[in-house]
Amino acid sequence: MSQTASTQQSQHDQPRFEHPHKVMLGLYIGAFLGMLSETSMNIALPDLCGAFNITTGTAQWMVVGIVVVAFYAYRQLHIEHPVLELRALGIATFRVPALMVTCLFACTLALMFLAPQELQRGLGLDSSTAGMLMLAGGVVNAIFSFATGRMYDRVGARPMVRCGAMVAVIGSLLFLAIGVTTAPAFFVLAHVVFMIGIPLMQQSAQSAALKGLPRELAADGSAILNTMQQVCGAIALRWLPACSAWVPALPRRRASSPAPGTATCSAWCWS
């Protein structure tokens, strides 16, 4: 009797799973996600690869990279001593300028990638001449990057960003006016104007972003800015050729036969 009573008592003490519907809900969600993933990989992904002119392998690696970055961010937010204190992005005075700096850096990399190709394909210049034409804009960018710091101390970030945005818009409009019959000097002018506006915005926004953080988060803020610029810059360089592929390709200019005056620099819009 005592053995039977102890057996019944042990069975009574064993925990029971009172919510079997949760298991079924988990199975349903897993099945749905599996079907969604299979559909996107087999149906949607090939169409997207064809539209953006990229291979399936490249698209898969990009998806893996995005998942890894998302997992890394999630991990940093849930450990006791993170390598990057991503909670700094919750501060609006840091988040907004940081996103602006990241977009401007990606825009600069896109321009440096696209401009030599358009000079060679659109204006029919060789690689050495294209590189020399790009030199003026790089020098102006370096000079204004140093000068922006002094001007930021005097007037602050907001007037500098507004002025830089206006100058960059003017430079973009000049780029859109470039055609196959445009003189190389006009490209130098557009590039210099654009490279004046970018550092006025980028350096001012970066200083404002770091200024908006408390002192204990300053090092993490600088690391976050550098990481965001590298990641978003790499994404911009990979997607820019795919987006530029949407623009109809025009034949290369030849010295023996003048090319029509149709504008070939519509791809500047993507930068």
Side-chain angles (χ1 to χ4, degrees), residues 67-79 82 86-87:
V67 171
V68 169
V69 171
F71 174 78
Y72 178 79
Y74 177 83
R75 179 64 177 168
Q76 294 301 307
L77 291 172
H78 291 82
I79 59 177
L86 296 180
R87 293 179 180 86

Side-chain angles (χ1 to χ4, degrees), residues 1 4 7 30 59 90 97 109 119 121 126 139 168 174 182 205 210 212 221 252:
M1 292 291 295
T4 304
T7 304
L109 290 182
L119 286 174
R121 294 187 303 175
D126 57 84
V139 173
L174 293 176
T182 304
L210 296 177
R252 184 189 298 269

Side-chain angles (χ1 to χ4, degrees), residues 17-73:
F17 190 76
E18 299 179 354
H19 303 284
H21 61 277
K22 292 184 178 180
V23 177
M24 300 303 298
L25 179 62
L27 293 176
Y28 291 150
I29 294 176
F32 173 76
L33 292 178
M35 294 176 61
L36 179 63
S37 175
E38 185 71 16
T39 303
S40 61
M41 294 296 290
N42 293 335
I43 299 177
L45 187 60
D47 294 338
L48 291 175
C49 292
F52 286 99
N53 196 23
I54 58 177
T55 62
T56 305
T58 301
Q60 291 175 350
W61 277 111
M62 292 187 67
V63 172
V64 171
I66 293 173
V67 171
V68 169
V69 171
F71 174 78
Y72 178 79

